[in-house]
Amino acid sequence: KYRYSNRDGMLNNESYRNYTNEYSMGVRLQSNFSTDVRIDVNNTTSYLTENDISPKTKESFRNQFMATMKWYFLDRFEFDAEYINDTYRRNLSDNDINNNLLNLKMACRVFKNRQGVITFNAYDVLNSISTTDVRYSPISVHTRFLPNYSSFYTLSFSYRFSRF
């Protein structure tokens, strides 16, 4: 996929033009070999160049990988796992910003017609999410580090009163 944008701006009463080119490619594989196990793997790679008032061309690279798995077993249970790796490099000479996220879920259907569900979720099991946001303008560079929210867990119960 290719995307091009062209934006006009003003700095000190002088106009300038910002040009952005983004090249990206993605691959997705999904399983259908079993009704009990479903696997989905997705990878997207992007390369971005920006030209504005500064003499240097800004280049960035991003790779996003995601794998999910659902497993239905013993007629009442469901196990879900989701792994995401997001690697980002704002300037090609900078270090990578690398985030890994692992979410897990276990669910059990209960009662006679399986109308109740007890679910346990574990979010960010690796406790590794931290976010860095870098924004460029013609006159400055803004870097913002967002706090790391730790792992958290939920236990829930739901009940379906009727079947529609």
Side-chain angles (χ1 to χ4, degrees), residues 62 86 88-90 94-99 128-135 141-148:
R62 183 174 208 163
D86 191 1
Y88 181 71
R89 185 181 289 184
R90 180 61 185 184
D94 289 348
N95 292 329
D96 289 343
I97 298 168
N98 193 1
N99 283 318
S128 63
I129 291 298
S130 62
T131 305
T132 304
D133 183 28
V134 180
R135 296 186 186 264
V141 176
H142 301 279
T143 303
R144 181 175 65 162
F145 296 97
L146 300 173
N148 182 358

Side-chain angles (χ1 to χ4, degrees), residues 46-145:
S46 302
Y47 173 73
L48 180 85
T49 62
E50 290 181 87
N51 294 316
D52 57 23
I53 198 168
S54 66
K56 272 179 87 174
T57 298
K58 297 172 190 75
E59 299 175 298
S60 62
F61 170 81
R62 183 174 208 163
N63 190 69
Q64 294 173 301
F65 172 80
M66 183 170 85
T68 59
M69 191 234 0
K70 285 183 181 279
W71 177 33
Y72 302 97
F73 61 99
L74 298 177
D75 199 35
R76 290 184 179 265
F77 294 93
E78 174 187 341
F79 175 76
D80 294 1
E82 175 186 54
Y83 173 74
I84 300 171
N85 174 269
D86 191 1
T87 304
Y88 181 71
R89 185 181 289 184
R90 180 61 185 184
N91 293 311
L92 293 183
S93 60
D94 289 348
N95 292 329
D96 289 343
I97 298 168
N98 193 1
N99 283 318
N100 292 289
L101 177 68
L102 177 63
N103 297 325
L104 301 173
K105 173 182 142 183
M106 177 64 93
C108 176
R109 297 202 173 272
V110 293
F111 301 128
K112 185 178 175 181
N113 292 319
R114 295 182 178 87
Q115 290 181 279
V117 180
I118 298 171
T119 306
F120 176 76
N121 288 293
Y123 297 97
D124 192 14
V125 173
L126 303 174
N127 199 20
S128 63
I129 291 298
S130 62
T131 305
T132 304
D133 183 28
V134 180
R135 296 186 186 264
Y136 288 89
S137 73
I139 57 174
S140 65
V141 176
H142 301 279
T143 303
R144 181 175 65 162
F145 296 97

